[in-house]
Amino acid sequence: MSDIKNNKSFLSSILFVALAASFCSFLWGSATPCIKIGYALFSIAPTDTATVILFAGVRFFIAGILTAIVGSLMEKKFLFPSSKGAWGKVFVLSMFQTVIQYFFFYGGLTKASGVTSALTISTNVFASLLIAVFVFRQEKLSALKVIGCVVGFSGVALVNAFGSAGTDYHVSFFGEGFIFLSSICYGFSGGFSKKFSKTENPVMLSGYQFIVGGFIMIVVGYIFGGRFSGFTPKSVLLLGYLAFISACAYSLWGILLKYNDVSKVVIFGFLNPVFGVILSMIFLHERGQNAVIVAISLVLVSIGIVVVNRKEKQKSLSEENQ
């Protein structure tokens, strides 16, 4: 019992949450330039929605297999949805976390500008918090949480509004509207993940929802004419890394949500677009980025994270005094 209690205490510590959630955000931030590089290596036009869905499906299917294998090795037993109702939970999670979310996400990206896309994606932090509070009743809304989210979002808004030149702010339902709907799905997936992980292994849930969701996307993409080629050692390695991003980040994120309040974890999601901008500057050699603005944005996001977690820190101190 003491080992279980110590593990829960460690997984709920501010230091672990900060390091693990920041690492997840870094991985997701690296996905943006890697996906663009992947499109080039596999000769995929970003506007070819069917092929984009097929490509994403292959990525997620591989991610699911990787997660199931690594999770089984970690647990020293074969992870499988064997309990009553487990497959239903996997299917629900796969719909919200993979299939529907990424249908809207990739569909919106083909019609939305990079600036408004990054801003709209950042609303998934607000969506996750509000859905956790009002739909799943998993925590209470506080002034500090609201202030922290607003400060963090201002950092994302700053880096996208003034961090680069030549911005385009045209908004459409099938562009930014679709991306906003993907953020709503993301919020529900977080709520379901926290709820289901009370009785199921979060790594198992992550792995098999990717397998199910990835398979559905492969079938849909292929039926609607999606095809891609260009398999080389370099492109296969990149595809493997994209699968690793999903497998590692979502599994770790699921563990964090299991043992912590949603707000304590999702606030780190504001780091995603900041990391995306920085890594795009490095790997895509994108010009026109303002390093000072990026730095200020990172500070604002960091302040938002500290504000959201401040109440948690005070709470843990009061518990220790008791």
Side-chain angles (χ1 to χ4, degrees):
M1 286 292 291
S2 60
D3 288 341
I4 295 174
K5 196 170 184 180
N6 289 335
N7 287 336
K8 288 183 178 180
S9 178
F10 172 72
L11 294 171
S12 300
S13 67
I14 295 294
L15 180 60
F16 177 77
V17 173
L19 291 175
S22 295
F23 179 61
C24 290
S25 295
F26 173 82
L27 289 176
W28 281 320
S30 72
T32 300
C34 285
I35 288 172
K36 290 184 179 181
I37 294 171
Y39 288 164
L41 292 177
F42 288 103
S43 301
I44 300 173
T47 54
D48 184 357
T49 305
T51 301
V52 166
I53 291 174
L54 176 64
F55 180 68
V58 171
R59 168 195 172 188
F60 295 137
F61 188 78
I62 296 173
I65 294 174
L66 287 175
T67 304
I69 292 174
V70 173
S72 297
L73 292 173
M74 290 173 59
E75 294 290 326
K76 296 181 180 179
K77 64 178 182 179
F78 181 60
L79 287 184
F80 192 76
S82 55
S83 64
K84 185 179 180 181
W87 277 110
K89 296 171 185 175
V90 166
F91 180 76
V92 170
L93 196 56
S94 71
M95 287 295 102
F96 283 95
Q97 188 165 301
T98 300
V99 179
I100 303 176
Q101 179 189 168
Y102 282 96
F103 167 78
F104 284 123
F105 178 70
Y106 282 111
L109 280 181
T110 63
K111 297 176 175 63
S113 69
V115 171
T116 54
S117 294
L119 285 171
T120 310
I121 291 168
S122 299
T123 60
N124 60 25
V125 176
F126 295 106
S128 297
L129 177 58
L130 294 176
I131 289 171
V133 171
F134 296 109
V135 178
F136 291 96
R137 307 289 182 178
Q138 293 168 336
E139 62 179 281
K140 295 181 179 179
L141 193 64
S142 68
L144 282 176
K145 291 175 183 177
V146 174
I147 293 171
C149 285
V150 171
V151 173
F153 183 74
S154 68
V156 176
L158 182 66
V159 76
N160 285 283
F162 303 105
S164 60
T167 56
D168 182 5
Y169 290 94
H170 293 295
V171 176
S172 70
F173 173 75
F174 292 104
E176 289 77 11
F178 267 32
I179 293 175
F180 177 71
L181 290 176
S182 78
S183 294
I184 299 297
C185 290
Y186 175 89
F188 273 98
S189 73
F192 280 121
S193 179
K194 186 173 180 66
K195 179 181 179 180
F196 295 157
S197 63
K198 290 180 179 178
T199 55
E200 305 290 345
N201 185 306
V203 178
M204 182 279 291
L205 287 172
S206 180
Y208 284 91
Q209 73 83 18
F210 272 133
I211 291 174
V212 172
F215 179 76
I216 292 173
M217 294 180 77
I218 289 172
V219 172
V220 171
Y222 189 84
I223 288 176
F224 284 92
R227 304 289 187 276
F228 66 91
S229 58
F231 289 90
T232 64
K234 186 177 180 180
S235 62
V236 170
L237 185 63
L238 182 71
L239 181 59
Y241 177 70
L242 285 170
F244 167 77
I245 290 173
S246 299
C248 181
Y250 274 109
S251 297
L252 188 54
W253 201 256
I255 293 172
L256 290 172
L257 288 175
K258 179 181 175 70
Y259 294 104
N260 298 277
D261 286 345
V262 173
S263 60
K264 184 178 178 180
V265 178
V266 298
I267 184 65
F268 287 88
F270 282 132
L271 287 171
N272 294 1
V274 178
F275 279 134
V277 170
I278 294 172
L279 294 171
S280 293
M281 290 168 62
I282 296 171
F283 294 107
L284 298 179
H285 308 292
E286 292 185 349
R287 298 291 180 258
Q289 302 293 343
N290 189 320
V292 175
I293 294 296
V294 172
I296 295 173
S297 299
L298 191 56
V299 170
L300 287 172
V301 170
S302 299
I303 292 173
I305 291 169
V306 171
V307 171
V308 167
N309 283 285
R310 188 179 176 189
K311 186 176 181 180
E312 287 291 328
K313 190 173 182 180
Q314 291 174 340
K315 181 181 177 181
S316 62
L317 286 172
S318 63
E319 288 174 349
E320 288 177 4
N321 293 331
Q322 291 175 0

